[in-house]
Amino acid sequence: MDIMYTKEFLLTEINNIREEIGHEKANIFIEEIYFKNNELWIITEDRPDKSAIIGKGGWVVGKLREKLGLDSIHVESYGDFLNRKYKLKLSKKTISNLDLDLVGIGNLEIAIDNKLENIYSFNFDTFFNENAFDESSETEAVVALSGGVDSSFSLILAKKLGFNPKAVTVDPGTIILPKQFKRNIKSVTQSLDVEHEYIEADYSDVVRESLNGSVHPCGRCSNNTGNLVKQYAKDNEIPIIVFGDMLATGSQCINLQEDSLYRLNLPASLSVGKQEIKSLIGNYDLKTFKGFGCPLLYEVHRKFPHMKKFSIQRILRETRSSALEPGEALDLIWSFYKI
């Protein structure tokens, strides 16, 4: 692959731009440069180098992109890629050791391998264009679909990887599942031609205890939803349940439940970040929602401000796992204080 830019050239341009906009000159270290299809990846030695190239408010990298006439510039730290590679290798080892002879699982291993080989520039659109898997396989899977970006991404991924997914949505009422999420559910299932079913559920105890300050709703909701989806899979003799969990990475990305039922955390298995999710779901007519959580959570935050710390803990866990960038995490946390 031909590299159009040298480290020295880029560092000179970056520091010239920093000087132009009033930033101090920085001693920046670049580990590697990757250029393809008018897109540039700059891999820095560490996160402070990444911050220096991006600049306050993204001004430096934005002006660099304009000056070089590129479609986009991606700046990442080498340490983040090492972490991602390690998680992907653990995912591959875990899935391979299960010895599941299922088409969807085999295709997931292919995706993991491809991401490892193209760690700097992996793109789901490119991958699926180059690997048109049969989307009518017999690898049945139940996908827990809430209508949010993570679960919608999981359904798209399950379909594209050749699973035969059936989407189910636990519906406890609009205080937890608002109508706009149902519009996303209808849109994505119709676009993918995936069968979908609502599971009516009574979460009145969760709502009542949350609104009187006894519990934080997320843990209870997640547990109840997981149990209902698991029971649905068992009743219908479907061997895999797919969740949009981004935290259960590496060796925890898939695990055996009771009655030979496997729980697959699909985004986590591919060590996916929020930007990758947004990129793929951008191909579908889905509405993204600002903030974090459902109407019940925001009402709990309003009535009991101390409960925000438990929501923030969840955001920080996703940030530590590299599923969220610090700026994204800050925006989510700040949304709690705009009520």
Side-chain angles (χ1 to χ4, degrees), residues 101-250:
D101 187 21
L102 299 171
V103 172
I105 295 295
N107 292 341
L108 174 58
E109 287 192 72
I110 292 172
I112 292 172
D113 285 338
N114 192 284
K115 195 168 187 180
L116 281 167
E117 291 169 6
N118 302 280
I119 192 69
Y120 296 144
S121 60
F122 179 84
N123 177 278
F124 280 106
D125 286 325
T126 302
F127 174 72
F128 287 124
N129 285 336
E130 294 174 351
N131 299 271
F133 298 118
D134 181 6
E135 295 180 15
S136 59
S137 77
E138 296 181 357
T139 308
E140 288 189 294
V142 175
V143 179
L145 180 63
S146 69
V149 294
D150 295 348
S151 67
S152 298
F153 172 83
S154 296
L155 180 62
I156 295 166
L157 211 53
K159 180 73 171 179
K160 293 288 187 182
L161 284 170
F163 288 89
N164 180 13
K166 180 167 185 178
V168 297
T169 302
V170 176
D171 186 2
T174 55
I175 193 169
I176 294 175
L177 185 69
K179 291 181 180 178
Q180 60 264 34
F181 283 85
K182 289 188 174 182
R183 286 195 288 271
N184 271 359
I185 289 166
K186 182 178 180 180
S187 177
V188 72
T189 52
Q190 287 184 347
S191 295
L192 296 169
D193 192 24
V194 168
E195 187 179 348
H196 173 258
E197 187 173 335
Y198 280 103
I199 301 174
E200 302 294 331
D202 181 7
Y203 281 24
S204 56
D205 287 349
V206 177
V207 174
R208 183 177 62 254
E209 292 176 18
S210 298
L211 293 179
N212 67 25
S214 300
V215 299
H216 187 279
C218 292
R220 291 280 297 279
C221 276
S222 178
N223 186 59
N224 287 1
T225 299
N227 288 335
L228 288 168
V229 173
K230 185 189 302 182
Q231 189 60 51
Y232 181 93
K234 288 168 62 178
D235 292 344
N236 290 274
E237 298 182 342
I238 299 175
I240 296 174
I241 50 176
V242 174
F243 287 87
D245 192 343
M246 299 177 67
L247 290 175
T249 56

Side-chain angles (χ1 to χ4, degrees), residues 42-47 50 75-82:
I42 301 175
I43 315 304
T44 65
E45 287 193 356
D46 207 351
R47 275 185 169 262
K50 172 182 174 179
V75 188
E76 298 286 352
S77 75
Y78 186 57
D80 289 341
F81 279 110
L82 286 175

Side-chain angles (χ1 to χ4, degrees), residues 249-264:
T249 56
S251 59
Q252 300 301 313
C253 71
I254 185 169
N255 53 74
L256 179 62
Q257 310 279 290
E258 57 207 48
D259 299 327
S260 300
L261 182 67
Y262 287 90
R263 172 175 173 143
L264 171 60

Side-chain angles (χ1 to χ4, degrees), residues 216 301 305-314 336-337:
H216 187 279
H301 286 173
H306 70 278
M307 287 289 187
K308 294 177 183 178
K309 69 179 181 181
F310 301 111
S311 301
I312 292 171
Q313 283 176 347
R314 172 76 184 190
F336 297 161
Y337 298 91

